[in-house]
Each structure stands twice: as C-alpha cells, then as structure tokens.
Amino acid sequence: MTTQHTTVEHRITSVLVTEFKVDPDTIAPQATFSSLKFDSLVLIELTLVLEKELEIAVPDGGLTDDMTIGEAAAFLTDLGAVL
C-alpha cells in the first residue's frame, strides 16, 4: 500500500464521517459500502462528492456496493486522485 493510497483512504473516511454521518467505528479498509448500508443512490452521491474532493472523474458504476473502502481507495488512486 502506498502513501497516496493511505491518504485517499483517509479522505474517503473523512467524507463518510462528515458528509454521510457514518459512525467512525464502523469504518475500516475491509468494510464494504453495503455493510455501511449504502444503496446505489447513496453511492452516486458519494461518487459526486469524491470526484469534487479528489479532482477526478469516476466512470458510471465505478463505486459498487460490494467494494471495500480499501478497494475504493486503490481504484480512486489509480484514477489519479489529487491530494
């Protein structure tokens, strides 16, 4: 895991806590969006927030409910997330 990946993971966690009011105790790299009770509409909203936060374009369906936070961080890092 790279430093950039870790930083993106922290940014995702921050957005989940501040914007989506997710309990920080439920957030871990292996937690899926489904386990956080995110449905497809919430994932679309999360995608829009992360696109703005990380200055990237995420393809439609890029974040899925079975994706873990760690996998999302790797995916967004690969897309060129700006920190």
Side-chain angles (χ1 to χ4, degrees):
M1 184 177 341
T2 67
T3 301
Q4 184 170 7
H5 171 93
T6 302
T7 303
V8 170
E9 197 171 284
H10 286 269
R11 297 276 292 274
I12 293 170
T13 299
S14 176
V15 166
L16 292 174
V17 171
T18 60
E19 301 286 328
F20 293 88
K21 308 304 182 216
V22 175
D23 180 354
D25 294 334
T26 64
I27 300 173
Q30 67 276 11
T32 64
F33 292 115
S34 177
S35 73
L36 299 175
K37 310 293 186 220
F38 278 35
D39 63 19
S40 59
L41 293 177
V42 177
L43 280 174
I44 291 169
E45 188 177 348
L46 175 62
T47 299
L48 295 173
V49 171
L50 291 173
E51 283 182 326
K52 184 175 181 179
E53 178 81 16
L54 301 172
E55 300 179 29
I56 54 173
V58 178
D60 290 343
L63 297 180
T64 61
D65 61 352
D66 63 342
M67 184 178 272
T68 67
I69 293 172
E71 291 168 342
F75 174 67
L76 298 174
T77 299
D78 289 346
L79 289 176
V82 175
L83 306 175

